[in-house]
């Protein structure tokens, strides 16, 4: 199983703790540490994805909690893959980090949480992708930098534990998802060009 970039410390600590506790015969706490290790491996999984069809791809796995003509918001629960992907081919113009609140990511007020705002210049215009943290851990990892070229479906970062990703829809695109839909980063088409 492929693991997300930079996940080794998050996985190795509970594995080391499991082994240390088992070595001293503390089996009950060792079992809890083992469960934590399994969760960390599961959480940091990073499966290969293959873009489907033409159009703008979902930047995140999870449930669509907002879908409008100009924006789609995806909520990622702890069971979702948390690696984020580029919706379209483009150029990273800038990335802006903003401090903020720490509301649960599924609430509308979470729009003011700590976040990275990534501005992408695409053939269809500029778009903004926001990686927004939730209540726990609140760690955003960005794999790209200003000046980088990204390809549709390419890994661009991850957010640890409950979180959400918002992405603007360029003009000339029609929405293909609705609130409540389940989407997969780098595979599900969330908007397509007008024909």
């Amino acid at each position: 199983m492929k693991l997300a970039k930079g996940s080794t410390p998050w996985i190795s600590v509970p594995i080391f703790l499991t082994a240390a506790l088992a070595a001293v015969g503390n089996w009950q706490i060792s079992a809890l540490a083992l469960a934590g290790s399994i969760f960390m491996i599961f959480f940091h999984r990073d499966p290969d994805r293959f873009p489907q069809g033409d159009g703008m791809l979902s930047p995140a796995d999870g449930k669509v909690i907002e879908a409008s003509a100009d924006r789609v918001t995806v909520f990622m629960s702890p069971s979702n893959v948390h690696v984020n992907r580029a919706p379209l081919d483009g150029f990273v113009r800038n990335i802006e980090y903003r401090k903020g609140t720490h509301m649960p990511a599924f609430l509308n007020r979470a729009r003011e949480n700590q976040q990275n705002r990534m501005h992408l210049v695409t053939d269809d215009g500029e778009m903004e992708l926001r990686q927004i943290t939730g209540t726990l851990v609140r760690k955003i990892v960005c794999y790209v930098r200003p000046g980088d070229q990204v390809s549709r479906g390419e890994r661009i970062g991850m957010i640890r534990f409950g979180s959400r990703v918002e992405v603007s829809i360029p003009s000339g695109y029609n929405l293909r998802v609705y609130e409540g839909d389940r989407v997969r980063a780098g595979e599900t088409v969330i908007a397509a060009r007008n024909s």
Side-chain angles (χ1 to χ4, degrees), residues 29-175:
I29 304 219
S30 177
L32 289 174
L34 177 62
S37 300
I38 292 167
F39 171 76
M40 286 297 181
I41 291 168
F42 174 75
F43 179 84
H44 288 91
R45 71 199 185 281
D46 182 12
D48 288 327
R49 296 285 172 84
F50 304 97
Q52 306 294 309
D54 294 322
M56 183 176 172
L57 299 173
S58 176
D61 279 26
K63 181 179 179 181
V64 175
I65 59 172
E66 181 183 357
S68 66
D70 61 349
R71 178 173 54 221
V72 170
T73 303
V74 179
F75 169 69
M76 297 181 288
S77 75
S79 65
N80 293 122
V81 171
H82 273 56
V83 174
N84 306 141
R85 295 177 179 261
L88 292 169
D89 293 339
F91 166 79
V92 181
R93 184 170 59 80
N94 73 321
I95 299 170
E96 175 188 358
Y97 168 77
R98 289 195 177 183
K99 291 182 179 180
T101 58
H102 307 293
M103 302 299 294
F106 55 84
L107 298 176
N108 279 337
R109 291 181 294 168
R111 186 168 285 131
E112 302 305 318
N113 282 3
Q114 170 185 299
Q115 60 192 266
N116 265 357
R117 293 183 177 191
M118 183 180 302
H119 296 93
L120 299 173
V121 178
T122 75
D123 287 345
D124 297 311
E126 193 165 319
M127 61 186 296
E128 182 181 67
L129 185 146
R130 296 182 184 186
Q131 296 173 290
I132 302 173
T133 63
T135 304
L136 299 173
V137 180
R138 306 187 294 262
K139 177 70 173 168
I140 301 170
V141 180
C142 198
Y143 299 162
V144 296
R145 295 180 178 155
D148 287 352
Q149 286 289 140
V150 294
S151 300
R152 180 176 175 261
E154 179 182 337
R155 295 167 176 90
I156 58 169
M158 77 173 295
I159 314 171
R160 290 206 166 85
F161 307 104
S163 47
R164 66 196 272 162
V165 175
E166 296 180 358
V167 65
S168 63
I169 309 290
S171 62
Y173 276 73
N174 287 325
L175 201 60

